[in-house]
Short mmCIF file of all heavy atoms in Angstrom, two decimals:
data_model
loop_
_atom_site.label_atom_id
_atom_site.label_comp_id
_atom_site.label_asym_id
_atom_site.label_seq_id
_atom_site.Cartn_x
_atom_site.Cartn_y
_atom_site.Cartn_z
N GLU K 1 -9.63 9.35 -0.76
CA GLU K 1 -10.51 8.24 -0.69
C GLU K 1 -9.62 6.95 -0.93
O GLU K 1 -8.46 7.22 -1.26
CB GLU K 1 -11.50 8.24 -1.84
CG GLU K 1 -11.05 8.16 -3.26
CD GLU K 1 -12.14 8.11 -4.40
OE1 GLU K 1 -13.31 8.57 -4.06
OE2 GLU K 1 -11.79 7.70 -5.48
N PHE K 2 -10.20 5.86 -0.58
CA PHE K 2 -9.43 4.59 -0.71
C PHE K 2 -10.16 3.69 -1.49
O PHE K 2 -11.36 3.64 -1.55
CB PHE K 2 -9.35 3.94 0.76
CG PHE K 2 -8.64 2.71 0.82
CD1 PHE K 2 -7.16 2.62 0.62
CD2 PHE K 2 -9.29 1.49 0.97
CE1 PHE K 2 -6.54 1.43 0.71
CE2 PHE K 2 -8.70 0.29 1.08
CZ PHE K 2 -7.26 0.28 0.93
N ALA K 3 -9.38 2.92 -2.38
CA ALA K 3 -9.98 2.03 -3.28
C ALA K 3 -9.25 0.64 -3.44
O ALA K 3 -7.98 0.67 -3.39
CB ALA K 3 -10.07 2.65 -4.73
N LEU K 4 -10.03 -0.44 -3.54
CA LEU K 4 -9.42 -1.69 -3.87
C LEU K 4 -9.92 -2.08 -5.28
O LEU K 4 -10.98 -2.04 -5.55
CB LEU K 4 -9.92 -2.72 -2.88
CG LEU K 4 -9.51 -2.56 -1.32
CD1 LEU K 4 -10.13 -3.59 -0.47
CD2 LEU K 4 -7.98 -2.47 -1.26
N ILE K 5 -8.96 -2.48 -6.18
CA ILE K 5 -9.27 -2.71 -7.54
C ILE K 5 -8.67 -4.04 -7.98
O ILE K 5 -7.43 -4.24 -7.93
CB ILE K 5 -8.68 -1.66 -8.50
CG1 ILE K 5 -8.96 -0.15 -8.03
CG2 ILE K 5 -9.16 -1.83 -9.93
CD1 ILE K 5 -8.08 0.88 -8.50
N LYS K 6 -9.54 -4.94 -8.26
CA LYS K 6 -9.17 -6.29 -8.70
C LYS K 6 -9.07 -6.38 -10.08
O LYS K 6 -10.11 -6.12 -10.89
CB LYS K 6 -10.22 -7.38 -8.22
CG LYS K 6 -9.63 -8.85 -8.45
CD LYS K 6 -10.63 -9.88 -7.94
CE LYS K 6 -10.76 -9.81 -6.40
NZ LYS K 6 -11.56 -10.95 -6.00
N VAL K 7 -7.95 -6.59 -10.71
CA VAL K 7 -7.66 -6.57 -12.09
C VAL K 7 -7.23 -7.90 -12.66
O VAL K 7 -6.59 -8.70 -12.13
CB VAL K 7 -6.54 -5.64 -12.45
CG1 VAL K 7 -6.13 -5.51 -13.96
CG2 VAL K 7 -6.75 -4.20 -11.72
N ARG K 8 -7.77 -8.20 -13.97
CA ARG K 8 -7.32 -9.49 -14.59
C ARG K 8 -5.91 -9.31 -15.15
O ARG K 8 -5.49 -8.28 -15.50
CB ARG K 8 -8.16 -9.68 -15.86
CG ARG K 8 -8.08 -11.03 -16.55
CD ARG K 8 -8.92 -11.19 -17.78
NE ARG K 8 -10.17 -10.60 -17.67
CZ ARG K 8 -11.27 -11.20 -17.12
NH1 ARG K 8 -11.08 -12.38 -16.58
NH2 ARG K 8 -12.42 -10.59 -17.01
N ALA K 9 -5.13 -10.42 -14.79
CA ALA K 9 -3.68 -10.36 -15.12
C ALA K 9 -3.32 -11.72 -15.27
O ALA K 9 -2.79 -12.50 -14.39
CB ALA K 9 -2.74 -9.66 -14.13
N VAL K 10 -3.67 -12.37 -16.52
CA VAL K 10 -3.42 -13.81 -16.75
C VAL K 10 -1.99 -14.23 -17.18
O VAL K 10 -1.78 -15.42 -17.18
CB VAL K 10 -4.52 -14.19 -17.88
CG1 VAL K 10 -5.90 -14.18 -17.35
CG2 VAL K 10 -4.34 -13.49 -19.10
N ASP K 11 -1.23 -13.27 -17.65
CA ASP K 11 0.19 -13.66 -17.97
C ASP K 11 1.16 -12.80 -17.33
O ASP K 11 0.83 -11.70 -16.75
CB ASP K 11 0.29 -13.70 -19.55
CG ASP K 11 0.08 -12.39 -20.14
OD1 ASP K 11 0.25 -11.31 -19.55
OD2 ASP K 11 -0.44 -12.40 -21.33
N ARG K 12 2.40 -13.08 -17.38
CA ARG K 12 3.41 -12.44 -16.78
C ARG K 12 3.58 -10.87 -17.33
O ARG K 12 3.73 -10.00 -16.57
CB ARG K 12 4.78 -13.06 -16.95
CG ARG K 12 5.99 -12.31 -16.43
CD ARG K 12 7.22 -13.05 -16.74
NE ARG K 12 7.60 -14.21 -15.83
CZ ARG K 12 8.12 -14.24 -14.70
NH1 ARG K 12 8.55 -13.07 -14.16
NH2 ARG K 12 8.18 -15.29 -14.04
N THR K 13 3.36 -10.76 -18.54
CA THR K 13 3.43 -9.39 -19.15
C THR K 13 2.37 -8.47 -18.61
O THR K 13 2.65 -7.31 -18.20
CB THR K 13 3.31 -9.39 -20.65
OG1 THR K 13 4.32 -10.40 -21.23
CG2 THR K 13 3.47 -8.14 -21.37
N SER K 14 1.26 -8.96 -18.56
CA SER K 14 0.04 -8.14 -17.99
C SER K 14 0.31 -7.88 -16.54
O SER K 14 0.06 -6.67 -16.03
CB SER K 14 -1.24 -8.60 -18.34
OG SER K 14 -1.45 -9.95 -17.78
N ARG K 15 0.78 -8.88 -15.74
CA ARG K 15 1.07 -8.58 -14.33
C ARG K 15 2.08 -7.68 -14.21
O ARG K 15 2.02 -6.70 -13.31
CB ARG K 15 1.50 -9.97 -13.62
CG ARG K 15 0.38 -10.79 -13.26
CD ARG K 15 0.73 -11.84 -12.39
NE ARG K 15 1.71 -12.91 -12.94
CZ ARG K 15 1.33 -13.90 -13.71
NH1 ARG K 15 0.09 -14.13 -13.89
NH2 ARG K 15 2.23 -14.68 -14.13
N ASP K 16 3.17 -7.66 -15.00
CA ASP K 16 4.35 -6.67 -14.84
C ASP K 16 3.70 -5.37 -15.15
O ASP K 16 4.24 -4.36 -14.55
CB ASP K 16 5.41 -7.04 -15.79
CG ASP K 16 6.18 -8.31 -15.36
OD1 ASP K 16 6.04 -8.66 -14.06
OD2 ASP K 16 7.01 -8.84 -16.13
N GLU K 17 2.98 -5.10 -16.17
CA GLU K 17 2.39 -3.84 -16.56
C GLU K 17 1.49 -3.23 -15.39
O GLU K 17 1.67 -2.10 -15.14
CB GLU K 17 1.64 -4.02 -17.86
CG GLU K 17 2.52 -4.15 -19.10
CD GLU K 17 1.82 -4.18 -20.29
OE1 GLU K 17 0.76 -3.53 -20.49
OE2 GLU K 17 2.18 -4.99 -21.20
N VAL K 18 0.65 -4.12 -14.81
CA VAL K 18 -0.14 -3.62 -13.79
C VAL K 18 0.68 -3.13 -12.55
O VAL K 18 0.36 -2.14 -11.97
CB VAL K 18 -1.20 -4.69 -13.40
CG1 VAL K 18 -1.99 -4.35 -12.13
CG2 VAL K 18 -2.15 -5.01 -14.46
N ILE K 19 1.58 -4.09 -12.22
CA ILE K 19 2.61 -3.75 -11.12
C ILE K 19 3.26 -2.37 -11.36
O ILE K 19 3.40 -1.43 -10.56
CB ILE K 19 3.60 -4.78 -10.80
CG1 ILE K 19 2.74 -6.01 -10.29
CG2 ILE K 19 4.76 -4.34 -9.94
CD1 ILE K 19 3.67 -7.30 -10.14
N GLN K 20 3.77 -2.21 -12.69
CA GLN K 20 4.42 -0.95 -12.94
C GLN K 20 3.43 0.25 -12.86
O GLN K 20 3.80 1.34 -12.41
CB GLN K 20 4.97 -1.04 -14.41
CG GLN K 20 5.83 0.12 -14.79
CD GLN K 20 6.43 -0.18 -16.26
OE1 GLN K 20 5.85 -0.81 -17.06
NE2 GLN K 20 7.52 0.43 -16.49
N MET K 21 2.24 0.09 -13.36
CA MET K 21 1.23 1.16 -13.29
C MET K 21 0.89 1.55 -11.78
O MET K 21 0.89 2.73 -11.41
CB MET K 21 0.01 0.82 -14.03
CG MET K 21 -0.61 1.81 -14.88
SD MET K 21 -1.91 1.23 -15.84
CE MET K 21 -0.98 0.46 -17.20
N ALA K 22 0.80 0.51 -10.94
CA ALA K 22 0.53 0.74 -9.53
C ALA K 22 1.64 1.47 -8.93
O ALA K 22 1.44 2.37 -8.15
CB ALA K 22 0.42 -0.65 -8.83
N ASN K 23 2.89 1.10 -9.25
CA ASN K 23 4.06 1.97 -8.69
C ASN K 23 4.02 3.30 -9.17
O ASN K 23 4.40 4.26 -8.38
CB ASN K 23 5.42 1.21 -9.10
CG ASN K 23 5.64 -0.08 -8.54
OD1 ASN K 23 5.06 -0.30 -7.39
ND2 ASN K 23 6.29 -0.92 -9.07
N ILE K 24 3.73 3.48 -10.41
CA ILE K 24 3.62 5.01 -10.86
C ILE K 24 2.59 5.79 -10.03
O ILE K 24 2.88 6.91 -9.83
CB ILE K 24 3.31 4.99 -12.39
CG1 ILE K 24 4.44 4.47 -13.20
CG2 ILE K 24 2.86 6.38 -12.84
CD1 ILE K 24 4.20 4.24 -14.64
N PHE K 25 1.57 5.15 -9.84
CA PHE K 25 0.47 5.83 -8.99
C PHE K 25 0.67 5.79 -7.38
O PHE K 25 -0.23 6.18 -6.67
CB PHE K 25 -0.92 5.36 -9.34
CG PHE K 25 -1.39 5.88 -10.66
CD1 PHE K 25 -1.09 5.24 -11.85
CD2 PHE K 25 -2.27 6.97 -10.66
CE1 PHE K 25 -1.52 5.74 -13.04
CE2 PHE K 25 -2.83 7.44 -11.92
CZ PHE K 25 -2.37 6.74 -13.07
N ARG K 26 1.81 5.12 -7.01
CA ARG K 26 2.13 4.97 -5.62
C ARG K 26 1.03 4.09 -4.89
O ARG K 26 0.59 4.35 -3.73
CB ARG K 26 2.26 6.30 -4.84
CG ARG K 26 3.53 6.98 -5.28
CD ARG K 26 3.88 8.31 -4.42
NE ARG K 26 4.82 9.00 -5.09
CZ ARG K 26 4.73 10.30 -5.21
NH1 ARG K 26 3.67 11.05 -4.80
NH2 ARG K 26 5.73 10.96 -5.85
N ALA K 27 0.46 3.16 -5.68
CA ALA K 27 -0.49 2.29 -5.18
C ALA K 27 0.35 0.94 -4.83
O ALA K 27 1.41 0.83 -5.03
CB ALA K 27 -1.51 1.84 -6.21
N LYS K 28 -0.45 0.12 -4.05
CA LYS K 28 0.32 -1.10 -3.70
C LYS K 28 -0.52 -2.36 -4.15
O LYS K 28 -1.73 -2.35 -4.28
CB LYS K 28 0.21 -1.14 -2.11
CG LYS K 28 1.04 -0.03 -1.54
CD LYS K 28 1.48 -0.37 -0.11
CE LYS K 28 2.21 0.71 0.57
NZ LYS K 28 3.38 1.17 0.01
#
């Protein structure tokens, strides 16, 4: 299946964590 997920990321730390999580799951 394919999913688009819009996530709140209001500061640099949360953006970095979301990006890192996306990389772990091979998401983009």
